[in-house]
Amino acid sequence: MKTTIGLAALLLATSAAHANVQQDLDQDLTPQYKGFYVGAGLGNTKFESSDDASTSLFEDDGQTVKILAGYQFSKVFALEGQYTKYSELKSGSYSISPTAFSLSANLGYSFENGLRPFGIIGVSALDLDESVQTLQDDSSAAVRYGLGLEYAPVQLKGLAVRVGYEVDFFAIEFVGPGASVTNDYTLEAFYVSASYKF
C-alpha cells in the first residue's frame, strides 16, 4: 500500500514538474510583439531627381549607415526614430555628405513565424553638408517613406534582422537673378540591419 502511494506521489510530482517545464518552454516560444528596440544597419546610397540631370554626375563614396530605435506597440504599429548617414556623394571637386534624423510610423503585421512585412512613413531633418557652399541653406525638411521585411525568430529571443528600402524626398530652391527654381530630389538606401528588442 505504501509502495502504491509512493509511486502515485512520484507520478504526480513528475507530472507537475513536466507541466511546469512545458509552461516555461511555451512562454519562451511566445512571440514578443511589444517592447523597446535598438539596432543598426548598412546599405548603399542613391541620389536622384526627376527634374535635374546633374544628379547623374554624382558618385557615391562609401556606405549608408543607419542607427535606429523605436517602440513596438502591437503586431501592427511601431514608432521609430532613425539616424541615417548617407555615403559621401562627389561630383568633381564638389561633394555633399548628407545626414538625416527621422521620426516615422512603422506599419506592418507580425506573423507567428517571426516574419513582419512593413512600410514606414514619416518626416526627416536633412543636412546635405556641402563641401563648398552653393546653396543659401543646405538643410531641409524631407518626407521619409519605405518598405521592408523583418524576421524575428522566437528562438533568438528579441533579436531581429531586416532588409529595407527607404527614401528621403526633399526640395531645394535655387535663387538666381530675378528668378527662382525649385527641384525635387530623393536620397535612397537599400539596407540590411539587425536589432534587439528588450
Side-chain angles (χ1 to χ4, degrees), residues 45-48 64 66 82-87 89 96-103 122-130 135 137-144 166-172 183-189:
T45 299
K46 192 172 183 181
F47 184 39
E48 288 193 329
T64 293
K66 289 179 174 285
Q82 196 178 115
Y83 167 75
T84 304
K85 178 174 175 45
Y86 293 100
S87 70
L89 297 160
I96 58 175
S97 301
T99 57
F101 289 93
S102 66
L103 183 64
V123 292
S124 296
L126 183 67
D127 183 4
L128 296 178
D129 191 17
E130 297 180 287
L135 304 170
D137 187 0
D138 65 356
S139 299
S140 175
V143 175
R144 169 72 61 94
E166 294 178 358
V167 179
D168 278 315
F169 174 82
F170 61 102
I172 295 177
N183 291 333
D184 296 327
Y185 297 91
T186 58
L187 279 164
E188 309 166 24

Side-chain angles (χ1 to χ4, degrees), residues 50-165:
S50 59
D51 47 16
D52 184 359
S54 67
T55 55
S56 63
L57 302 176
F58 283 86
E59 296 182 357
D60 67 286
D61 181 23
Q63 293 180 314
T64 293
V65 177
K66 289 179 174 285
I67 299 173
L68 55 97
Y71 189 88
Q72 187 170 346
F73 294 88
S74 66
K75 288 183 177 183
V76 174
F77 176 70
L79 190 62
E80 184 171 297
Q82 196 178 115
Y83 167 75
T84 304
K85 178 174 175 45
Y86 293 100
S87 70
E88 185 180 33
L89 297 160
K90 292 182 177 180
S91 178
S93 60
Y94 175 77
S95 68
I96 58 175
S97 301
T99 57
F101 289 93
S102 66
L103 183 64
S104 304
N106 183 314
L107 304 170
Y109 188 81
S110 299
F111 291 96
E112 298 289 335
N113 61 6
L115 288 174
R116 185 175 190 273
F118 66 90
I120 68 162
I121 184 72
V123 292
S124 296
L126 183 67
D127 183 4
L128 296 178
D129 191 17
E130 297 180 287
S131 60
V132 178
Q133 186 173 356
T134 63
L135 304 170
Q136 287 186 325
D137 187 0
D138 65 356
S139 299
S140 175
V143 175
R144 169 72 61 94
Y145 59 89
L147 50 84
L149 179 66
E150 187 173 79
Y151 182 49
V154 178
Q155 295 84 353
L156 294 184
K157 297 182 181 179
L159 289 174
V161 294
R162 82 165 60 162
V163 291
Y165 170 75

Side-chain angles (χ1 to χ4, degrees), residues 180-193:
S180 64
V181 176
T182 300
N183 291 333
D184 296 327
Y185 297 91
T186 58
L187 279 164
E188 309 166 24
F190 180 80
Y191 70 96
V192 177
S193 71

